[in-house]
Amino acid sequence: MHRLLLLSSLWLLVAPPASSIFQRPTGSPAPPRLQYLLEPLHAAVHTQRGATATLPCVLRALPRNYRVKWSKVEPANYRESIIIITNGLYHKNYGPLSPRVHLRHSHRYDASLTITDVALEDEGRYRCQLVNGLDDESVSLTLHLEGIVFPYQPSNGRYKFNYHEAKRACEQQDSRLATYQQLYKAWTEGLDWCNAGWILDGTVHYPIINSREPCGGRLLLPGVRTYGARDKQKDRFDAFCFTSALQGQVYFIRGHLNFKEAGQACRNHGAAIAKVGQLYSAWKFSQLDRCDGGWLADGSVRYPITTPRERCGGLPDPGVRSFGFPSKELRTYGTYCFV
């Protein structure tokens, strides 16, 4: 009998899981009080890119023939992707997170999930579910990455990206499309931008601190203005990208270089010309402060200011200033490199 139960549990572990929708219908009753799982002390875990993070899930008792299933809710489509299933003795990993996750298992009641080398796409909502026949129960946790949101548009002007192009553009600049929560937090920290941009869930917004005529009018209150969900293929806007801490260093090489010479100068130092997200990350997390415009990998010229001063743009707030996309033939600027 014990042999049959073990074989049955193993089959459940290795059987390919089906994706499901993780949403409770409006008006449905609240989940029952937890019997086996402990409510986590904190519903959010804060971390940075490249770090190791643990999402707690601890049992107060071990029911017979149970399984614990970890899954992640994907914000772009609200679908639930299974990460790992265990019966306490054996486990099976699934999906793209598989190489970087394991169960902490510091004692026999511990089913906490550890994620190593945290990536930008790991941010989001996770669920630890105890599967025990009719007594299924779960706890939800959120993994938050400390980072910076920045608006992005291509060299040919504003409102050129459909959703998929915006997503690729952020990824090419060492970032990803921001979530609404990330954009909202950036607004509370001072992000003021009049151009609307895509975010990860396929909606379009723009954050306003100072109400003004070209940005919805002076009478509208400050806030994150929304265009709602748009057609991901046809509609075109800018992008709001999110990046976190770097595993590396951004530095400046002085000179009068054109774009091609800037890339070669970085390679001569064993580095690569920096991406926009890398410059924002160095400004945010390493307090990089330079008054010199430098080439970046997308052909733009920017410089990071942490201590505003009159001769460095004259603007009162810290930020990454931009000269736009000048001719790549101009021998006018230095370059920012990443190693």
Side-chain angles (χ1 to χ4, degrees):
M1 182 64 177
H2 292 297
R3 181 181 178 86
L4 288 174
L5 286 173
L6 180 58
L7 289 173
S8 175
S9 297
L10 284 174
W11 183 85
L12 288 170
L13 283 172
V14 299
S19 294
S20 58
I21 299 296
F22 179 37
Q23 284 183 307
R24 184 155 55 91
T26 304
S28 62
R33 184 176 178 275
L34 295 175
Q35 179 181 357
Y36 292 105
L37 293 176
L38 291 173
E39 192 73 40
L41 288 175
H42 304 286
V45 174
H46 295 267
T47 188
Q48 291 183 353
R49 177 168 54 176
T52 295
T54 297
L55 299 168
C57 184
V58 178
L59 285 70
R60 57 163 55 93
L62 300 178
R64 296 183 62 186
N65 306 323
Y66 75 96
R67 290 179 295 146
V68 171
K69 178 176 71 174
W70 274 100
S71 53
K72 183 176 186 289
V73 178
E74 303 299 342
N77 53 21
Y78 298 101
R79 296 190 72 83
E80 182 182 352
S81 300
I82 294 176
I83 300 168
I84 193 168
I85 302 176
T86 180
N87 64 0
L89 295 175
Y90 304 95
H91 69 273
K92 176 71 174 177
N93 291 17
Y94 298 94
L97 266 174
S98 181
R100 296 189 289 112
V101 296
H102 63 271
L103 296 171
R104 182 174 63 181
H105 206 63
S106 58
H107 52 79
R108 66 194 189 106
Y109 299 101
D110 185 15
S112 302
L113 182 73
T114 295
I115 305 173
T116 60
D117 193 18
V118 170
L120 294 175
E121 60 269 20
D122 295 343
E123 172 151 309
R125 188 155 59 109
Y126 292 76
R127 182 164 74 135
C128 176
Q129 181 183 13
L130 177 75
V131 181
N132 182 36
L134 298 177
D135 298 322
D136 294 359
E137 55 189 68
S138 65
V139 294
S140 292
L141 301 106
T142 302
L143 185 67
H144 285 301
L145 269 69
E146 298 174 17
I148 178 76
V149 172
F150 61 93
Y152 189 75
Q153 58 183 225
S155 59
N156 57 343
R158 67 196 288 264
Y159 293 178
K160 301 297 183 181
F161 294 134
N162 67 24
Y163 173 81
H164 306 288
E165 292 164 345
K167 186 172 182 291
R168 283 195 300 271
C170 288
E171 291 166 356
Q172 289 166 357
Q173 296 308 314
D174 192 50
S175 58
R176 72 184 304 232
L177 279 175
T179 65
Y180 181 81
Q181 290 77 11
Q182 290 165 343
L183 181 62
Y184 185 88
K185 182 174 184 291
W187 168 71
T188 66
E189 294 172 349
L191 181 60
D192 182 280
W193 196 254
C194 201
N195 292 347
W198 293 101
I199 63 172
L200 188 59
D201 64 3
T203 57
V204 174
H205 310 266
Y206 63 102
I208 293 297
I209 298 289
N210 302 306
S211 298
R212 49 203 187 273
E213 286 304 328
C215 307
R218 298 180 184 275
L219 298 181
L220 283 180
L221 292 174
V224 178
R225 313 268 173 81
T226 180
Y227 287 9
R230 311 297 290 189
D231 189 307
K232 292 182 178 181
Q233 293 287 352
K234 296 179 181 178
D235 289 328
R236 295 189 173 272
F237 298 95
D238 291 345
F240 286 105
C241 305
F242 172 84
T243 192
S244 185
L246 286 173
Q247 293 179 288
Q249 179 187 6
V250 173
Y251 62 93
F252 181 75
I253 294 179
R254 188 184 300 275
H256 296 283
L257 310 170
N258 63 30
F259 177 72
K260 184 177 179 180
E261 292 167 343
Q264 187 59 53
C266 291
R267 290 190 292 274
N268 291 345
H269 286 75
I273 189 168
K275 299 177 179 180
V276 177
Q278 291 167 342
L279 185 65
Y280 269 93
S281 179
W283 167 73
K284 171 75 173 179
F285 292 100
S286 302
Q287 288 73 55
L288 184 63
D289 183 290
R290 285 209 65 104
C291 204
D292 305 282
W295 291 103
L296 296 176
D298 66 341
S300 65
V301 172
R302 306 173 196 249
Y303 61 101
I305 296 295
T306 56
T307 305
R309 45 210 188 269
E310 189 63 34
R311 294 186 178 182
C312 297
L315 296 177
D317 300 316
V320 175
R321 319 278 197 242
S322 175
F323 289 144
F325 294 85
S327 168
K328 291 183 176 181
E329 303 304 317
L330 285 178
R331 284 191 170 90
T332 308
Y333 307 102
T335 183
Y336 288 96
C337 304
F338 172 72
V339 63

